[in-house]
Amino acid sequence: MCSMRSIAIAAAAAVVSWALQAQPVLWPPEREPSAAERQAVADLAKRAEALDARLRPWEAKRADLSDLAAYVNVPLARLKWRKANLLLRRSSAALYRSAIERDLAEGEEILAGATGKPWHVGRSGLLELAYVTANDGTTQPYYIHIPKNYTADRAWPLIVFLHGWVPSITICDPWVLSSPELDLAAKQGFLVLIPYGRRNTDFQGVGEVDVLAATEEAQKLYRVDPDRIYLMGVSMGGMGTWDIGLRYPHKWAALAPISGQTDMFIWWQWPREQTPAFKRFLVEWDNAVDIAPNGFSIPIFLQHGEFDHLISVEQSHLMLKTARKWGYEVKFHEFKGESHYIYWDLPCYRNAFAFFKPLSLNRRPRHIKYKTYSLRYDRAYWARIAEITNYGRPAYLEAEVTGPGQVQVKTDNVGAFALTLDRELLGPGQQAQISINGEAPRQTAVPKEGETLFRVQGEPPAGLHKKKTLCGPCEDAMNYPFLCVKGTQGTEADRRRVGEMFDRWVKDWDAFADGFPRQKDDTQVTKEDVARYNLILFGEPSTNRIIARIAARLPIKIEDHKYQLNGKTYAGDDLGLVMIYPNPENPEKYVLIYAGELYGRKCGINHKHDLLPDFLIFKADEFFDHDDTNKYVLGGFFDRNWQIDPSGVFCEAN
């Protein structure tokens, strides 16, 4: 979602990325370093190399919770190495000698304890911890505040706090809460988790993955009450609170968004109805007002400044009206006379913490509403959407217990759903009556455990079909473990073009998600890689061996800057293709193919993936003025059987 705001983000992130990757070390022209300074930096670089070498054997073992010291200490030592290494690569490395030395010393000390005590045990205050991501295999930080009186003999409530947008944010300079806010939380008896969110991702895509992973990590290491986990955030984090909270309402005891966006069409000044269908669907996917039904059963406390000059208070007013339309109320506090930065002072935190204090997660609300744009987001409490009928349209499910053993269900665009029926929800009877869309009730036994599946319409999908972990669109390939594969075949010009596209993509990923992903040439990919990873493939059948192996089993025929589907051919030296599809060599994993020209060259660094549908043929050198995405020739979503359906969301340029 690229806008003038994204351009500013991209510029700032590009400067940061260049500075971190610059080699060899360059010195500011206004002052040459002394010989002693050069030697000090060289000595620190050797020390970093030594720590790196000591870490590698530990990382190859892939420690789990059975070896808690290694599980905690090794990723944290790697994080310290990463921070030192990033500073060493800056042109002004000599200015950061004390920070580099501190990070290396801490990394060495932490790694020395890998066979002994987990580093976090017995510590309090704001702690920096780390974990190894499943999706791109990088080491990422998270921050947790532990009160001095913490003990593991009781379960503690946990606040998950999502930070705002800062162009300069890195692992060396994260946004964390200050002492007054953290001390206030501790006095109220809360642990506070601050996910990094992979820089400025709007807590969408890989940023959302980071929030959920960090929350799971905190629960592994500390005694957290699973019924008292609260989500809050400010500015960008306020929007993230809406999105993640509404997508997973069963995970949070309450939400407290502060000064966040709720309708990106208004925020970006995009006319909703004039936006191409596939792009409109993808914006709504991340839009709080469009998934507002999901807040029906969760307590929400919203705060905003009356004169917010960055994100208008009207964004929150709109959400209040939308919630009422769906039948629920959101508690709201408007700071009169205040602007955007109400979160630089304590009152909004004091309000939120007081709101959270008495609340626990209601795991079995008697009435739930849930709207989703993807099977990735399929569950609310005791109901799960198992099949979406038509992709490119949202699905909706409403379920209400109307009496003992009586459940009424309403659906839209749902092929099948599942209910977890138990006596605590329905009462003591052995049977339940399920009425679906006003039809005669279906009688079903109440199982001792597990789900009961109900089919609404059509037959179960046969063979290849969309499901929770395999439903697209393109961005979904990066939510799970993935490997980037560079094509190395063809002419020298071909190899140079594909290599440049590959290098640009992985550097953009680092600038976006703070870490270089796994990478291999097409000649190095093993059967184990195909079994383990989504493959992000760069090139065409003539330039990438993996694409050549699967080309005949793809729904779009790919040639050199030429693409055929549905009986039509689209060709041109300026054309590119991005397409996600189940890997024909392992249909439980994706292939994501970048062929021809590279997509998103003008997009802001934090939004290169989230406006890509399942497939897009685009013009490399023509862009939309309002968002800097490439002008498309053809794009859309595959149907539930991963086939092209021109009657679905299928946009072709005139």
Side-chain angles (χ1 to χ4, degrees), residues 45-306:
K46 289 180 181 178
R47 192 168 162 187
E49 290 176 6
L51 178 57
D52 179 36
R54 290 173 55 201
L55 279 163
R56 291 182 182 275
W58 280 102
E59 292 167 329
K61 297 176 183 178
R62 296 181 181 175
D64 57 27
L65 289 173
S66 65
D67 184 357
L68 187 59
Y71 183 85
V72 172
N73 296 10
V74 173
L76 185 55
R78 172 58 75 186
L79 178 65
K80 300 296 184 180
W81 174 88
R82 277 193 66 200
K83 293 168 70 173
N85 199 50
L86 291 174
L87 294 175
L88 278 167
R89 292 171 182 265
R90 291 187 178 181
S91 59
S92 52
L95 301 178
Y96 297 97
R97 280 176 298 165
S98 61
I100 296 167
E101 187 164 4
R102 180 199 63 222
D103 287 331
L104 291 175
E106 290 178 354
E108 292 160 351
E109 179 184 358
I110 292 165
L111 184 59
T115 57
K117 182 179 178 181
W119 182 86
H120 70 293
V121 173
R123 297 177 185 268
S124 62
L126 183 62
L127 308 181
E128 180 179 59
L129 293 170
Y131 74 103
V132 179
T133 65
N135 58 346
D136 60 359
T138 61
T139 302
Q140 295 296 330
Y142 62 97
Y143 310 90
I144 188 161
H145 188 261
I146 305 300
K148 291 181 179 179
N149 63 337
Y150 170 83
T151 62
D153 59 357
R154 66 178 177 89
W156 289 66
L158 175 70
I159 294 172
V160 180
F161 174 83
L162 307 184
H163 64 75
W165 174 81
V166 175
S168 59
I169 190 171
T170 70
I171 61 172
C172 298
D173 188 21
W175 180 353
V176 295
L177 288 170
S178 59
S179 295
E181 294 85 37
L182 295 172
D183 291 343
L184 179 63
K187 288 177 182 177
Q188 295 291 324
F190 294 105
L191 310 182
V192 179
L193 170 69
I194 308 173
Y196 181 49
R198 309 296 288 264
R199 286 195 179 128
N200 291 309
T201 59
D202 288 344
F203 299 104
Q204 298 166 2
V206 66
E208 176 189 280
V209 171
D210 181 79
V211 171
L212 299 178
T215 305
E216 290 179 4
E217 291 296 320
Q219 291 175 274
K220 292 174 183 176
L221 303 186
Y222 294 95
R223 182 86 183 277
V224 173
D225 186 342
D227 289 333
R228 292 189 294 164
I229 301 178
Y230 312 95
L231 184 64
M232 68 177 295
V234 300
S235 194
M236 179 182 76
M239 179 174 65
T241 299
W242 281 119
D243 287 349
I244 297 176
L246 295 176
R247 283 173 172 158
Y248 303 95
H250 53 286
K251 289 182 178 290
W252 316 103
L255 310 178
I258 298 170
S259 303
Q261 301 98 323
T262 65
D263 189 335
M264 301 309 288
F265 290 102
I266 294 175
W267 170 250
W268 286 320
Q269 300 181 13
W270 288 10
R272 185 186 287 248
E273 298 307 316
Q274 296 176 26
T275 303
F278 74 81
K279 195 180 288 189
R280 181 169 66 247
F281 178 84
L282 292 168
V283 176
E284 291 178 0
W285 176 303
D286 290 320
N287 227 29
V289 294
D290 290 294
I291 54 175
N294 306 359
F296 184 79
S297 298
I298 185 169
I300 304 172
F301 178 36
L302 173 60
Q303 299 180 84
H304 216 125
E306 180 186 15

Side-chain angles (χ1 to χ4, degrees), residues 381-395:
Y381 306 100
W382 45 274
R384 180 176 66 87
I385 295 175
E387 295 173 21
I388 293 176
T389 304
N390 296 309
Y391 280 79
R393 284 184 50 215

Side-chain angles (χ1 to χ4, degrees), residues 432-479:
Q433 301 288 328
I434 312 299
S435 175
I436 303 172
N437 295 328
E439 297 178 354
R442 305 182 191 183
Q443 183 167 302
T444 184
V446 178
K448 291 184 178 180
E449 59 182 17
E451 296 180 326
T452 302
L453 185 70
F454 298 89
R455 177 152 296 282
V456 180
Q457 57 182 318
E459 297 296 322
L464 192 64
H465 63 277
K466 289 189 171 182
K467 53 188 178 181
K468 181 177 177 67
T469 57
L470 205 77
C471 56
C474 289
E475 185 181 38
D476 201 42
M478 285 82 81
N479 292 329

